[in-house]
Every structure is written in structure tokens, then in C-alpha cells.
């Protein structure tokens, strides 16, 4: 995938429109990153579902390196590469294209993590979830084929082995279909097992899936579509509509879903945490 994009973008100048998109990406994802850090920090500090000892440093680490944070940093870095020169060489094109494609992984990982957070809605402390163990395993497990699919697609493009890219694309489609089915099943069946906040979070994740589908279609069109889908020299409108805007919509919905499932404004939050701490001390 990456090699085909590079070959189609070789010896081409980056258009002013593409540079404007890069500037917009830096601005928007900087805002997203700076917004999600304090929100995620407060959620980590107030709920803390990890087995490690709670500390401010760990809360800050988890907030900075959240999946949304990683996506934002990848997008900022890729756009910075795009703005660094108007005549990029092959190495720069490969790096920018790889970052563009790899950005799907944090988005799909965040779907998994937000759904797991919905299962922990209303619960405090490590290891507590309303989901049965097989469901938690499924929500954790679909991240692995996502990583394999993205890596196959990128590596297949770099080494110019089409079979690897095709295998990665097929695996990505199959895994995303599984994720969609899983989220639909959760949306239908979790009403009776999750708190209201958790179920609303699942519904928000479900609402994000159509936008994520468009982003995945764009990912596939980068490889198999016409030259207008080239992220470097292709149509600016296509990149903005199917790439940037879809990612922004998905990120906003996932951040909202996590905020709904793990509210930091809950009136009973302090009492619940104190009760959880008392139970832990009693053990």
C-alpha cells in the first residue's frame, strides 16, 4: 500500500490545499489532545481500574498515551512531515503514508477500550466489570487481528508484495465486521445488564461505527482506488471528507461515550470511591 502511494506521488509537488489540510490536522488534533488529557486524567484518578498502585504520575501517563492521544500525536507528526517541504523525497512519503494508515489502529483500539469502560460503568477499583469473562476476552482479543491487518497492509506496500497487502485488507474487513456485530449485540442486550450510563456509552460507540466504516473504506481506496485518493497528491476534498472529518467525528463520539460511561461529575462518586476503599481495607 505505502509503495503504491509513494510511486503515484513521486516527483509531485504538495498542493497548497494539501498543506492547508495538514495545518488543519495539526490544529484540530492539538486541540483534541490537549482536551482529552485532563479529561482522561480525572477519569483515571477517580475510577482507577488498573491493578498497579494509583499515582498521579501513572494517571498522567495513561492520559497522555491514551489511544486518542497516540492518534493525535501520529496525525500531528504526519502533518508536520507534510509541511516540512513542498518537494518530499521517497522516505518522507513513505513515513507520511505509513502514519496515515497506522492511525486506524488507535481508533479501533479505542473502540475496544471504551466498550470495556462501559462494562465498568458505576464500578470502582481494579478488576470490576459487568461483562462476563468471554465477552471481556472478545473485546480485548479483536485488537490483535487489527494490528496484524494494519502491519500486513503497510509492510506489504513497502516491500511491494501485493499478497501481504491483500491479506491485511481482508483481515481488516473481517475483523471490523466482527466488531460491528459485537457492538450491535451489546447495544441490544446490555440494557438489562449495564447501568444507564454504560448502555448510553455503548449506543454512542454504535453511532461512531458508520463514520469509522467510511474511514476504513478510505483506507482501502488508498491502495485500490484511483489516483485521486492519493493522500499526498490526490483530491483535497476526498481526504478532508473521508479521512480527517471521519476521524474527528469518531474521536468526538468515543470521547463522549467514555465521558458518559465514566462521568467525573457524578454526585455519588466520592461516596462510591470511599466505599470501595473501605472494602479494600477490610480485605
Amino acid at each position: 500500500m505505502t509503495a503504491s502511494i509513494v510511486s503515484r506521488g513521486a516527483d509531485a509537488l504538495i498542493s497548497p490545499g494539501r498543506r492547508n489540510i495538514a495545518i488543519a490536522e495539526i490544529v484540530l488534533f492539538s486541540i483534541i489532545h490537549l482536551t482529552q488529557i485532563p479529561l482522561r486524567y480525572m477519569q483515571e484518578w477517580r475510577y482507577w481500574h488498573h491493578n498497579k498502585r494509583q499515582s498521579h504520575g501513572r494517571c498522567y501517563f495513561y492520559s497522555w498515551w491514551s489511544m486518542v492521544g497516540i492518534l493525535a500525536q501520529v496525525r500531528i507528526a504526519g502533518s508536520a512531515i507534510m509541511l516540512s517541504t513542498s518537494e518530499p523525497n521517497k522516505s518522507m512519503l513513505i513515513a507520511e503514508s505509513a502514519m496515515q494508515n497506522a492511525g486506524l489502529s488507535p481508533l479501533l483500539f479505542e473502540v475496544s477500550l471504551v466498550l470495556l469502560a462501559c462494562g465498568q460503568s458505576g464500578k470502582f477499583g481494579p478488576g470490576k466489570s459487568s461483562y462476563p469473562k468471554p465477552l471481556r476476552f472478545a473485546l480485548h482479543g479483536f485488537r490483535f487481528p487489527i494490528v496484524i491487518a494494519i502491519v500486513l497492509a503497510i509492510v506489504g506496500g513497502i516491500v511491494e508484495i501485493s499478497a501481504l497487502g491483500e491479506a491485511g485488507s481482508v483481515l481488516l474487513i473481517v475483523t471490523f465486521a466482527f466488531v460491528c456485530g459485537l457492538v450491535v449485540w451489546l447495544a441490544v442486550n446490555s440494557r438489562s445488564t449495564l447501568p444507564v450510563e454504560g448502555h448510553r456509552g455503548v449506543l454512542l460507540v454504535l453511532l461512531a461505527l458508520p463514520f469509522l466504516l467510511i474511514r476504513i473504506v478510505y483506507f482501502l481506496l488508498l491502495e485500490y482506488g484511483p489516483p485521486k485518493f492519493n493522500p499526498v497528491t490526490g483530491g483535497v476534498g476526498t481526504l478532508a471528507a473521508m479521512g480527517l472529518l471521519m476521524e474527528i467525528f469518531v474521536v468526538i463520539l468515543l470521547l463522549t461515550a467514555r465521558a458518559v460511561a465514566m462521568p467525573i461529575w457524578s454526585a455519588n462518586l466520592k461516596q462510591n470511591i470511599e466505599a470501595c476503599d473501605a472494602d479494600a481495607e477490610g480485605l
Side-chain angles (χ1 to χ4, degrees):
M1 177 177 294
T2 304
S4 63
I5 293 173
V6 170
S7 63
R8 283 181 282 175
D11 302 324
L13 297 177
I14 297 175
S15 67
R18 181 62 184 89
R19 296 177 70 86
N20 290 336
I21 292 294
I23 294 172
E25 283 186 329
I26 291 176
V27 172
L28 291 173
F29 281 105
S30 295
I31 293 173
I32 287 172
H33 193 36
L34 294 176
T35 301
Q36 68 90 29
I37 287 176
L39 177 62
R40 184 64 181 270
Y41 176 89
M42 288 185 286
Q43 289 171 331
E44 291 289 349
W45 180 253
R46 297 194 178 194
Y47 290 88
W48 195 251
H49 291 125
H50 309 283
N51 291 320
K52 297 179 180 179
R53 184 177 63 84
Q54 185 183 30
S55 68
H56 290 288
R58 286 195 174 104
C59 290
Y60 181 76
F61 177 84
Y62 286 129
S63 61
W64 183 276
W65 293 107
S66 67
M67 290 298 108
V68 173
I70 291 174
L71 172 66
Q73 292 173 73
V74 168
R75 288 290 173 258
I76 292 170
S79 297
I81 292 175
M82 188 64 61
L83 292 173
S84 63
T85 178
S86 60
E87 299 182 18
N89 56 36
K90 183 176 180 180
S91 298
M92 294 177 65
L93 289 174
I94 290 176
E96 199 282 332
S97 298
M99 288 182 178
Q100 187 69 226
N101 296 329
L104 265 180
S105 295
L107 278 179
L108 291 165
F109 271 44
E110 185 66 7
V111 169
S112 166
L113 295 174
V114 171
L115 289 174
L116 288 166
C118 292
Q120 296 172 319
S121 181
K123 299 182 181 296
F124 305 86
K128 296 184 178 181
S129 176
S130 299
Y131 294 147
K133 190 172 182 179
L135 180 55
R136 296 200 304 271
F137 178 81
L139 290 173
H140 282 290
F142 77 72
R143 302 177 210 165
F144 297 102
I146 291 296
V147 172
I148 295 172
I150 300 297
V151 170
L152 284 176
I154 294 176
V155 173
I158 293 175
V159 300
E160 300 187 45
I161 300 178
S162 59
L164 289 178
E166 292 170 1
S169 299
V170 171
L171 182 58
L172 178 63
I173 293 171
V174 172
T175 305
F176 183 69
F178 169 78
V179 171
C180 290
L182 187 60
V183 176
V184 170
W185 182 86
L186 271 175
V188 173
N189 292 278
S190 64
R191 180 184 293 272
S192 60
T193 58
L194 293 181
V196 174
E197 294 83 0
H199 184 252
R200 288 174 179 171
V202 173
L203 293 179
L204 285 168
V205 174
L206 180 63
L207 186 60
L209 292 183
F211 302 108
L212 189 54
L213 173 62
I214 295 174
R215 179 61 184 87
I216 290 176
V217 169
Y218 180 65
F219 172 85
L220 297 174
L221 287 173
L222 292 178
E223 169 65 11
Y224 306 109
K228 71 176 182 178
F229 292 104
N230 188 302
V232 179
T233 60
V236 174
T238 303
L239 172 62
M242 298 186 70
L244 177 59
L245 285 180
M246 294 304 105
E247 287 189 353
I248 296 297
F249 290 155
V250 172
V251 166
I252 290 174
L253 286 169
L254 293 180
L255 287 176
T256 305
R258 185 182 285 274
V260 169
M262 303 174 67
I264 58 176
W265 56 83
S266 174
N268 297 323
L269 184 59
K270 183 177 180 180
Q271 293 90 326
N272 289 335
I273 294 176
E274 290 175 349
C276 179
D277 292 340
D279 292 341
E281 291 176 0
L283 295 175

